Amino acid sequence: MTTVQTARYSPDTATRRGLAWRAAIIVIAAVSVALELPALVRAPLSILAVVVTALFVFPRIARRGPLDRLLMIVGATIVLLLLLGPVLNVLPTGLDVRGWGIGVGVIELAVIVGFAFVRPPVTAGSSRVRRIPIEGIAWGVIIAVVLLNALVISVNSFTTTHQAPLALAGVRSGDSVTVTVSSGNAAGIYDLVRVTSTGHSVLASGIEVAAGSSRSITIKVDANTRETIELVKPGTLTSLRELTIDTRTPASGANR
Amino acid sequence: MSKVDTGKPDLPAVTPRGTTPPAAPSKGIRRATGRGPLARLGASGFSRIAGISASLVGTQAFTSVLGLIFWTLAARVFAPSEVGVAGAAIALMILLGSLGSLGLGTVLIARLPMTSAGDRRVLVRTCLAAAFGGGVALGLIVPALAVTVFGVTALAPIAGSLVPLLGFALGTGLTSATIVLDQAVLTIGIGSLQLERNVTASSVKIIALILLAIAGQHGGMVIYLAWTIGTLASLPLVAWRTRGGRALSRGRALFEPRLLRGLGRVAVSHHALNVTIQAALQLLPVMVTILISATANASFNAAIMFAGFVFALPYAVSIGLFAAARGDESEIVKRMRLTIPFGLAISVAADLVIIPLAGPLLHIFGSTYAAEGTVILQLIVLAGLPFVIKDHFIALRRVQGRTTQALAMTSVFLVLELAGAAIGARVGGVVGLCLGWIAVLVVEAIVLAIPLIGALRSARATPSPVDGTSVDGTAVDGTALDGTSVNPTAILVEFDAPAEVDAPSTKGIGLDDNPEIASNAEVGRVNEVVSEPVGMPGGPANQRSARESRPRSRDSALSRWFGRNQTGPTLFIMALGVFLMAAVATAGRGGETGTLIQVGWVTGLIVIFAPAVVRIVSRATPTVERVVVAVALGMMLQFSRLVLNPTGFAFHDELIHAETLRQITETNHLFTSNPLLPVSAYYPGLEVVTNAIERLTGLASFPSAAITLMLARVVIVLALICVIRLVTGSYRAGAVGVVIYLANPQLLFFNSQYSYQTLALPLAIAGVYFFAARRRGSRLSLILPIATTVAVVFTHHLTGALLIAAFAVWLFIVAVRGHRVAKLATPGSERVRRHTAGDLRGLVLMTLTGALALGVTIIIPGNPILSYLGSIGSSSGTQLLDLAGGSKPKALFSDSAGTGPAPWEQALLIAAVLIAVASLLIVLGYLRTNIRAGKPLAVLLGLVAVLYPVIPGGHLTSATAEVGDRAAGFVFLGLAVVIGTWWWKRARNVRSQGIFVIGCIVLFIGNIVLGAGPTAGQLPGPYQISADARSVDAANLAAAEWENANLPRDSVTYGDRTSGMLAASVGGQQTVLHVSTNIDASRLLLAPTVTADDLSIIDQTKLSYLIVDERLSTGLPHQQFYIESGEYGNGPKAKVVSSAALHKFENIAGVDRLYDNGSLVIYNLEGLR
């Protein structure tokens, strides 16, 4: 394949047509980003916009082998994104979705317009029928399936083994506390017991917590007191989890 | 020179063992005539072999008897532990002395006859001085390293203090010198002088030992001193006996190093083989001393000494065989049919004598020696049988000119022998060591017997061509030792060989545009080499061609298969490796972290790595496949990190950058405050790209980060291939370079993490390439390199600074080159001058732009870069000064919790370091070639490679460990270029390809252990304290997610190393760290009681929440600190934090305990403010 370039090339009709539909894709992608469409829509469009820009530019990069051009395109893409960041940063909107959508769209348009004035290469034997690399595609699919499976089993096992443990949490709000029992994988039935200086009392019994769910109750706390809320199995006194709500002021408390 | 304690004493004519022998003595050999069995033996030339062998053994016997007397005296007068120390010291001295002699003795044997009389004395003096220097250097460095770095206390008597160390070094230097001297005197026609010197040395050392004992001196090093005195005293004798030629060298300098030029490669080849042959027997006593005890070595040493008489017999037969064959392979093969059975018979006979007499023989040394050494001697003498096979194999390979192959085999088996001995020592003491060693020797003999049998069969089928090399004074690889050769290609210095250029691709960098390649063209060195190198007529290459021209139908089918595009199957197998790792990680998460799982993990890595290396290294592989596989290898290795932590960030540095990313995502602005590492927020290039992908695609942060890392990996691989191609003209060299780079210690662990260097490094390499490959003469072509440089600076401070420094060094090299070129007036030099001027201008611009960009980042308000780098520098400097002052280095093989790599991992790690250190020899050759060729970029990359010792050396202190590790990503760039270039410069046969593949795998796995720690720690598994990803478990994540959902945003929190980081990056809180607040709040977790200091800290920091991981009291942290450097308690943890300390806020008035998930508890401390 040879590359022939002249400095004063004007895009021909085919190139202009190609420019047009590429620009359309770029604009659609930019709009989808700016509108914050769901990832299922946004992602393929954004990737498509990048790909069409790259494929337009690829053969027009002068004096490079294919590997060099690929490096240039990938490298330049990263560099452009990287340098666009500080530019967006000075804008009031900053690095928000719209800024990125418009900024990347503008750059992509500028790139294809700029390279449209570079004469495309004349490929010897371009009229030759290209074979579809079926074997290559088949291997690619198989490899992708294997890798995808590897990822899926990893994610599944990670999710399974990283279930949140049984937890007891309390959020104070004024003179009340919202106590939440949550569990990732340990389903069960529990009692909540309040322990004060005067004794035990059951706050709630038979709290059923399913795996991956939580149950909350709100309790009132007295001023200038210290009370412990324990999560226990029904019929036992062994504390599984504990919270402490201490409304005493530090000066009056039994400090260590 | 006598080595009484070795099993294979040097033969007087060929010191040390295994060097090329001189012409076989013809005296006393009577050619048998007649028709009987003896006549047939005589007709076969066996009598000649027997004569040579007898001569060698007989001469050795006398000095061996003196040695026996010496050791008997030592055993009778000194304690067994002292004799053991002396035995180990002397064995080590002999080994290091052999190494230090640098093969110069062999050089002299060949060179002296061709040297003028006037030059001879100068040459000998120069060689002696060089050998002495080499020996002294090794004698200083090796034991000092062993004792101070590796903690081998058993060698403390040798190197524990200065005087013994200096004495040891002196003795080693003298040993090196006398090894060279003994070979020199053979050549100058005073053959008996070697024997005289040895006898003198042996006699004097006996006298010295007696005198020292009478003077009341004790200790192993006193015995060593006596030995050294003997060696020293023998030198005046040589000087006196050779006084006759002094007049010829009057007026000459004492030493002339130029006389040694050009001999390095050939000397090293033989020398290396000689050393590997004898190394095991010299190292075994040292191993016994280290692994068992010095006392045990006393008996072992004595047993080895007697066994040496047994080993000398087959060795002498093999030398006699070699000498008698006079370089004729067919002669050796013909005689092997007799000498092998004869050698085996002699060994069996000797064993039958020694085994029953082992006890009485050892009684000479004393009853203790007899009691403890009898079984050892009985076992060791059995090694004589496999030695017969081994010695014959080496003799055959020498005469075939395949010393390199012999070296490879002996090296591998040396390692296995030592490993077998070590394992045996662990299991069963000295007896176990002997059994382990012999077991490996037996296997070795079986393996080495195969080529012997093959040679015998081939000799029956096809006669081999003769290369006509002579035994006398010439090396046996077909190369004369003085550099003149019947096979010039064999002696070409590696990088003087023509560069290989791929199939024409003028679409690649035009020759006109690349001064690197242009300069090659200037000197006419650019050639196309497609396959095997052309052999020279009459040389060993012809022999190889002859072998290769034998039946090819089998080879052709294999070659055809190899030559087809196998990209699909190769990538498929690599993907299976990723799948295996995912399966193993799954098991690890389930709590299975045993040996099988670890093996599975390493297997997965090898299944990814090995097929790629095989295809890349193979010459038959199509270039397209090679490049695709190289890129895929990088990506697969990156993907393997994803299956390890598939849903979120887990490592320390990742959490830091995740926090910056979170802040950018939430605030839409850069340069916010990152409490985990404030400086990182000012270099947000990585996070900017991730944020861009996040916004453009709508994906979450983690998947966007994974895509960013994958793109970075693609860039670095492509950039590497392109840079190497620029330097060498070969995509294939580039692919090999990628393999080397991907084996660097930091690639799989640190440079795969979501950290700023991970993106900065690929961009830096790409920036170098974009500059070097730009179109000259066009200013626009500088835009991309400049933009890339600015992007690098914006991404990572240090990488940016190093890139600027690289441009500056490059500028200097170009300026120097330009100065040299300016003086030339050759055709084409004008074009080079123009290129140079353009490069100078461009590099000035690159350097200034980069510096300006870096300056801009420094002056951004709030950027703490200067203090950050300053603190790293000062802590590294302080620890280095402490180390120089004698403080103990950091434990090499364990972390702060006492866990460390398994022995097999340690072995791999050391092997990887040794391989990399050995490659520095290639680097030096590369630098020399490219400095001469005036290739600035190549020189720059070579200089980077030379910095390799920083990586292992950094592990001497904890502060420099990280600095050294981080350097790997840069240094291996240079190594990748050098090794890729070196590999592709010459034709490599299948065997060498196999060895290279194995070396790469060892380098890869060993470096992973160096960079990522033990395999057990790399795997997912149960929670570990302060252990990076192993601490990011369900409990920690759950607590962080609760904080994110329930606590006010950016509340000030404090926690341990992991929970604190998760609180920021996942929980959305502001974690207090000393690095960002200059406040040490660690006593909140670690101090035993609540005091006014704690309340003061709470007030100062406006702390709201304290996160306590109750598991901290169950053990020590794995990453040195529970929280951060300088925490309460000072320095690395030696004590486990108490449960009371962790629960001290339980009963404090005003403190709420808000969260409890069974492992983590969160307290609200606002009531105390």
Side-chain angles (χ1 to χ4, degrees):
Chain A
M1 195 161 87
T2 57
T3 304
V4 178
Q5 299 180 33
T6 61
R8 294 190 184 169
Y9 167 76
S10 275
D12 57 15
T13 312
T15 304
R16 284 196 207 110
R17 231 179 267 139
L19 262 182
W21 65 260
R22 285 178 173 86
I25 291 174
I26 291 169
V27 169
I28 292 169
V31 168
S32 73
V33 170
L35 294 178
E36 293 190 65
L37 295 183
L40 272 176
V41 176
R42 219 195 303 182
L45 283 173
S46 296
I47 293 169
L48 185 61
V50 171
V51 168
V52 299
T53 307
L55 288 177
F56 185 76
V57 164
F58 191 88
R60 289 171 168 77
I61 300 174
R63 308 173 65 93
R64 303 275 182 219
L67 213 62
D68 309 317
R69 288 183 231 165
L70 182 60
L71 173 62
M72 246 194 74
I73 287 172
V74 177
T77 303
I78 295 174
V79 169
L80 283 171
L81 286 176
L82 218 149
L83 296 179
L84 182 57
V87 172
L88 294 176
N89 191 51
V90 300
L91 301 176
T93 47
L95 285 77
D96 69 342
V97 170
R98 275 180 207 87
W100 278 115
I102 295 169
V104 169
V106 165
I107 290 175
E108 286 170 340
L109 286 172
V111 165
I112 60 169
V113 167
F115 275 89
F117 289 90
V118 175
R119 186 189 296 276
V122 174
T123 311
S126 57
S127 58
R128 208 172 42 199
V129 173
R130 289 177 186 253
R131 287 189 306 160
I132 297 172
I134 294 177
E135 188 182 342
I137 292 172
W139 277 115
V141 168
I142 293 169
I143 291 161
V145 165
V146 171
L147 291 176
L148 194 61
N149 265 309
L151 191 59
V152 165
I153 67 170
S154 289
V155 170
N156 281 344
S157 87
F158 192 93
T159 310
T160 306
T161 55
H162 283 69
Q163 296 286 324
L166 178 68
L168 186 66
V171 178
R172 269 173 79 168
S173 177
D175 62 351
S176 61
V177 175
T178 304
V179 177
T180 305
V181 182
S182 62
S183 171
N185 56 358
I189 299 175
Y190 306 97
D191 290 347
L192 272 177
V193 175
R194 171 188 262 160
V195 179
T196 63
S197 56
T198 54
H200 292 72
S201 60
V202 176
L203 280 173
S205 64
I207 301 173
E208 191 171 348
V209 181
S213 71
S214 61
R215 291 281 302 274
S216 300
I217 66 167
T218 302
I219 60 172
K220 285 253 188 264
V221 291
D222 297 328
N224 214 24
T225 59
R226 176 190 163 79
E227 49 189 80
T228 303
I229 299 165
E230 294 179 356
L231 187 73
V232 301
K233 279 282 192 189
T236 71
L237 288 174
T238 309
S239 169
L240 297 172
R241 303 286 186 262
E242 266 181 39
L243 296 183
T244 307
I245 308 296
D246 193 321
T247 54
R248 297 171 298 174
T249 54
S252 66
N255 291 352
R256 280 198 177 177
Chain B
M1 180 185 115
S2 59
K3 298 185 298 180
V4 184
D5 62 327
T6 63
K8 293 207 171 188
D10 288 343
L11 299 179
V14 285
T15 312
R17 181 178 96 82
T19 54
T20 310
S26 56
K27 281 190 256 188
I29 297 173
R30 194 160 52 87
R31 196 169 178 81
T33 55
R35 289 182 184 177
L38 281 178
R40 283 200 294 276
L41 277 177
S44 71
F46 185 74
S47 58
R48 180 176 162 77
I49 298 168
I52 296 168
S53 309
S55 168
L56 292 169
V57 172
T59 315
Q60 182 66 27
F62 188 51
T63 51
S64 297
V65 167
L66 289 172
L68 179 62
I69 296 171
F70 177 87
W71 284 107
T72 305
L73 277 172
R76 291 288 179 173
V77 173
F78 294 82
S81 60
E82 294 169 338
V83 173
V85 166
I90 290 168
L92 189 61
M93 173 196 74
I94 292 167
L95 178 63
L96 295 180
S98 301
L99 281 168
S101 70
L102 308 170
L104 292 171
T106 318
V107 168
L108 284 177
I109 288 177
R111 198 75 186 262
L112 277 176
M114 289 170 246
T115 307
S116 67
D119 277 347
R120 278 188 191 176
R121 292 184 79 87
V122 181
L123 177 62
V124 170
R125 281 200 299 263
T126 307
C127 288
L128 289 177
F132 180 75
V136 168
L138 286 173
L140 282 172
I141 293 168
V142 170
L145 272 179
V147 172
T148 58
V149 174
F150 293 102
V152 181
T153 51
L155 297 183
I158 300 174
S161 55
L162 190 60
V163 171
L165 181 62
L166 289 176
F168 181 82
L170 174 66
T172 308
L174 286 173
T175 303
S176 298
T178 52
I179 288 171
V180 173
L181 186 63
D182 284 345
Q183 290 173 304
V185 300
L186 284 175
T187 316
I188 59 176
I190 320 176
S192 63
L193 181 55
Q194 190 200 51
L195 178 60
E196 290 168 26
R197 193 200 69 74
N198 277 291
V199 169
T200 305
S202 300
S203 307
V204 169
K205 69 188 174 201
I206 293 171
I207 297 168
L209 185 67
I210 295 170
L211 290 175
L212 284 167
I214 291 171
Q217 298 300 313
H218 286 283
M221 293 308 285
V222 169
I223 303 173
Y224 180 90
L225 175 63
W227 187 289
T228 306
I229 290 172
T231 307
L232 193 59
S234 67
L235 297 179
L237 169 67
V238 177
W240 175 253
R241 288 288 304 277
T242 57
R243 67 191 183 284
R246 274 187 210 144
L248 294 168
S249 62
R250 202 159 283 151
R252 297 288 298 274
L254 208 55
F255 311 113
E256 290 185 16
R258 66 165 180 87
L259 294 172
L260 299 180
R261 243 176 246 154
L263 304 175
R265 180 182 166 272
V266 178
V268 163
S269 163
H270 284 282
H271 182 57
L273 180 58
N274 297 340
V275 170
T276 55
I277 292 167
Q278 64 186 335
L281 282 166
Q282 286 159 356
L283 281 171
L284 285 176
V286 181
M287 286 178 69
V288 171
T289 304
I290 293 171
L291 296 175
I292 304 165
S293 69
T295 305
N297 187 44
S299 316
F300 182 82
N301 205 42
I304 281 277
M305 200 192 61
F306 280 112
F309 290 103
V310 175
F311 299 154
L313 299 168
Y315 177 65
V317 168
S318 72
I319 290 295
L321 173 69
F322 176 73
R326 292 184 171 272
D328 184 343
E329 184 181 346
S330 64
E331 284 296 308
I332 272 212
V333 173
K334 193 167 74 179
R335 285 163 189 172
M336 261 180 359
R337 290 197 196 103
L338 281 171
T339 56
I340 290 178
F342 180 69
L344 289 170
I346 290 184
S347 293
V348 168
D351 290 351
L352 289 173
V353 170
I354 294 260
I355 287 174
L357 293 177
L361 284 171
L362 286 169
H363 249 109
I364 296 173
F365 293 92
S367 55
T368 315
Y369 291 80
E372 292 176 13
T374 300
V375 173
I376 297 170
L377 177 56
Q378 290 169 338
L379 286 173
I380 289 181
V381 293
L382 297 174
L385 292 161
F387 276 145
V388 171
I389 304 299
K390 183 172 178 177
D391 290 338
H392 276 83
F393 168 80
I394 291 167
L396 178 65
R397 284 293 182 257
R398 283 195 193 275
V399 86
Q400 286 174 329
R402 294 165 70 178
T403 50
T404 308
Q405 191 215 43
L407 173 62
M409 298 288 284
T410 54
S411 301
V412 167
F413 278 114
L414 171 64
V415 171
L416 292 174
E417 285 176 40
L418 297 177
I423 293 168
R426 276 282 178 92
V427 171
V430 183
V431 171
L433 178 142
C434 297
L435 286 171
W437 178 56
I438 289 168
V440 174
L441 277 177
V442 169
V443 172
E444 185 176 346
I446 294 169
V447 171
L448 297 182
I450 297 171
L452 290 176
I453 296 168
L456 285 166
R457 284 188 183 157
S458 302
R460 275 194 215 122
T462 314
S464 303
V466 177
D467 72 350
T469 52
S470 162
V471 167
D472 299 342
T474 59
V476 293
D477 63 351
T479 310
L481 294 171
D482 63 354
T484 62
S485 170
V486 293
N487 183 10
T489 54
I491 63 153
L492 281 175
V493 174
E494 296 282 1
F495 290 97
D496 286 339
E500 177 199 347
V501 174
D502 285 336
S505 168
T506 52
K507 277 286 180 62
I509 309 310
L511 288 181
D512 287 350
D513 288 351
N514 188 346
E516 300 278 332
I517 295 180
S519 68
N520 268 346
E522 297 303 341
V523 295
R525 283 174 180 258
V526 177
N527 286 315
E528 279 201 38
V529 175
V530 178
S531 58
E532 300 296 320
V534 178
M536 298 297 291
N542 249 9
Q543 293 185 26
R544 287 194 280 278
S545 302
R547 281 195 292 277
E548 286 155 3
S549 67
R550 284 193 208 118
R552 292 176 68 86
S553 54
R554 188 163 43 102
D555 292 345
S556 296
L558 197 62
S559 303
R560 280 199 300 273
W561 187 89
F562 258 88
R564 264 188 257 130
N565 191 321
Q566 306 290 348
T567 309
T570 305
L571 296 189
F572 174 66
I573 295 171
M574 292 163 68
L576 287 178
V578 175
F579 188 86
L580 176 59
M581 293 179 77
V584 168
T586 298
R589 285 187 203 100
E592 297 171 39
T593 54
T595 308
L596 194 61
I597 299 300
Q598 294 176 39
V599 168
W601 183 254
V602 174
T603 304
L605 285 167
I606 294 174
V607 171
I608 297 173
F609 191 76
V613 180
V614 168
R615 291 303 289 165
I616 286 169
V617 157
S618 167
R619 294 195 86 86
T621 305
T623 299
V624 169
E625 178 188 343
R626 215 187 299 269
V627 170
V628 169
V629 166
V631 175
L633 177 61
M635 295 175 73
M636 294 266 191
L637 288 175
Q638 182 66 42
F639 198 87
S640 74
R641 305 309 288 170
L642 199 56
V643 304
L644 194 61
N645 295 294
T647 63
F649 304 109
F651 292 97
H652 176 268
D653 283 54
E654 289 190 322
L655 296 176
I656 290 173
H657 294 280
E659 169 63 3
T660 300
L661 179 65
R662 179 187 75 81
Q663 293 192 4
I664 293 173
T665 304
E666 288 181 3
T667 66
N668 291 331
H669 283 282
L670 305 177
F671 311 124
T672 50
S673 160
N674 184 336
L676 301 182
L677 186 66
V679 72
S680 67
Y682 293 88
Y683 297 90
L686 173 73
E687 293 85 351
V688 166
V689 175
T690 309
N691 185 255
I693 294 172
E694 209 178 329
R695 303 293 198 200
L696 294 171
T697 62
L699 294 171
S701 297
F702 185 72
S704 304
I707 292 171
T708 308
L709 295 178
M710 196 59 78
L711 285 174
R713 183 55 59 83
V714 170
V715 168
I716 200 170
V717 173
L718 291 178
L720 263 171
I721 295 175
C722 289
V723 164
I724 296 173
R725 191 192 180 273
L726 199 63
V727 171
T728 64
S730 168
Y731 278 125
R732 289 182 271 185
V736 172
V738 165
V739 165
I740 300 299
Y741 188 82
L742 294 178
N744 92 62
Q746 287 296 293
L747 184 105
L748 197 67
F749 178 66
F750 187 68
N751 289 139
S752 299
Q753 289 182 24
Y754 189 68
S755 174
Y756 39 14
Q757 188 179 332
T758 306
L759 180 62
L761 197 46
L763 290 179
I765 301 171
V768 167
Y769 174 72
F770 291 150
F771 177 80
R774 75 195 187 286
R775 194 200 314 198
R776 264 91 177 151
S778 163
R779 288 208 181 99
L780 290 177
S781 65
L782 280 172
I783 292 177
L784 184 57
I786 290 176
T788 308
T789 302
V790 172
V792 172
V793 170
F794 185 60
T795 304
H796 185 224
H797 37 75
L798 199 57
T799 307
L802 289 173
L803 180 61
I804 296 164
F807 281 131
V809 171
W810 194 350
L811 172 64
F812 174 77
I813 297 170
V814 170
V816 167
R817 174 175 175 265
H819 181 70
R820 278 168 51 191
V821 168
K823 297 179 186 169
L824 295 177
T826 56
S829 59
E830 178 53 39
R831 182 156 54 96
V832 176
R833 267 193 283 273
R834 274 203 319 273
H835 281 307
T836 303
D839 281 352
L840 278 174
R841 285 192 295 272
L843 284 167
V844 168
L845 193 57
M846 297 297 295
T847 309
L848 289 177
T849 315
L852 181 64
L854 188 62
V856 166
T857 66
I858 290 173
I859 62 173
I860 294 174
N863 187 354
I865 179 66
L866 293 176
S867 58
Y868 171 70
L869 292 179
S871 68
I872 292 173
S874 78
S875 64
S876 301
T878 304
Q879 290 199 11
L880 281 173
L881 284 172
D882 288 344
L883 184 69
S887 72
K888 217 172 149 206
K890 167 178 142 350
L892 282 179
F893 292 119
S894 74
D895 63 14
S896 50
T899 57
W904 65 269
E905 292 173 309
Q906 294 180 27
L908 277 173
L909 189 159
I910 293 170
V913 170
L914 289 175
I915 289 173
V917 167
S919 70
L920 289 176
L921 293 171
I922 302 172
V923 172
L924 293 175
Y926 171 93
L927 269 174
R928 187 181 67 161
T929 305
N930 285 286
I931 288 172
R932 283 184 187 167
K935 298 169 77 170
L937 178 58
V939 171
L940 173 68
L941 294 167
L943 289 173
V944 169
V946 158
L947 296 174
Y948 174 77
V950 167
I951 300 170
H955 280 263
L956 292 177
T957 76
S958 51
T960 55
E962 202 165 318
V963 172
D965 285 344
R966 299 290 176 265
F970 305 95
V971 169
F972 264 76
L973 167 63
L975 282 175
V977 173
V978 171
I979 304 298
T981 310
W982 168 77
W983 179 255
W984 222 261
K985 284 279 186 176
R986 303 188 116 208
R988 307 286 178 186
N989 60 23
V990 172
R991 270 199 204 97
S992 56
Q993 288 174 33
I995 293 169
F996 189 76
V997 167
I998 293 170
C1000 287
I1001 293 171
V1002 170
L1003 186 70
F1004 176 60
I1005 301 294
N1007 274 341
I1008 288 173
V1009 177
L1010 180 62
T1015 306
Q1018 296 172 40
L1019 286 165
Y1023 170 81
Q1024 286 181 346
I1025 299 168
S1026 190
D1028 256 357
R1030 287 287 289 271
S1031 302
V1032 180
D1033 68 333
N1036 259 310
L1037 284 172
E1041 283 161 4
W1042 181 84
E1043 293 155 22
N1044 185 43
N1046 296 281
L1047 298 183
R1049 213 76 170 144
D1050 291 317
S1051 302
V1052 180
T1053 58
Y1054 191 72
D1056 64 83
R1057 180 181 160 98
T1058 304
S1059 61
M1061 304 207 84
L1062 287 171
S1065 57
V1066 175
Q1069 309 304 310
Q1070 263 228 350
T1071 299
V1072 173
L1073 282 176
H1074 184 267
V1075 69
S1076 51
T1077 62
N1078 280 325
I1079 297 172
D1080 175 15
S1082 58
R1083 59 170 299 112
L1084 294 175
L1085 281 178
L1086 305 179
T1089 54
V1090 179
T1091 66
D1093 289 338
D1094 296 286
L1095 300 178
S1096 168
I1097 289 170
I1098 292 168
D1099 274 334
Q1100 271 184 281
T1101 59
K1102 298 188 180 24
L1103 192 68
S1104 294
Y1105 302 101
L1106 180 68
I1107 307 163
V1108 176
D1109 192 331
E1110 295 174 328
R1111 297 170 294 187
L1112 298 187
S1113 61
T1114 61
L1116 289 169
H1118 287 261
Q1119 294 287 341
Q1120 297 184 61
F1121 315 108
Y1122 284 114
I1123 306 159
E1124 56 183 337
S1125 173
E1127 63 191 13
Y1128 180 85
N1130 282 327
K1133 275 297 164 209
K1135 253 180 28 173
V1136 176
V1137 62
S1138 67
S1139 179
L1142 296 175
H1143 292 103
K1144 60 180 178 285
F1145 284 98
E1146 277 293 329
N1147 294 312
I1148 304 294
V1151 173
D1152 295 337
R1153 178 173 158 136
L1154 282 186
Y1155 178 87
D1156 179 2
N1157 68 14
S1159 300
L1160 278 89
V1161 170
I1162 299 177
Y1163 296 98
N1164 182 347
L1165 302 183
E1166 286 173 336
L1168 296 181
R1169 277 161 43 183

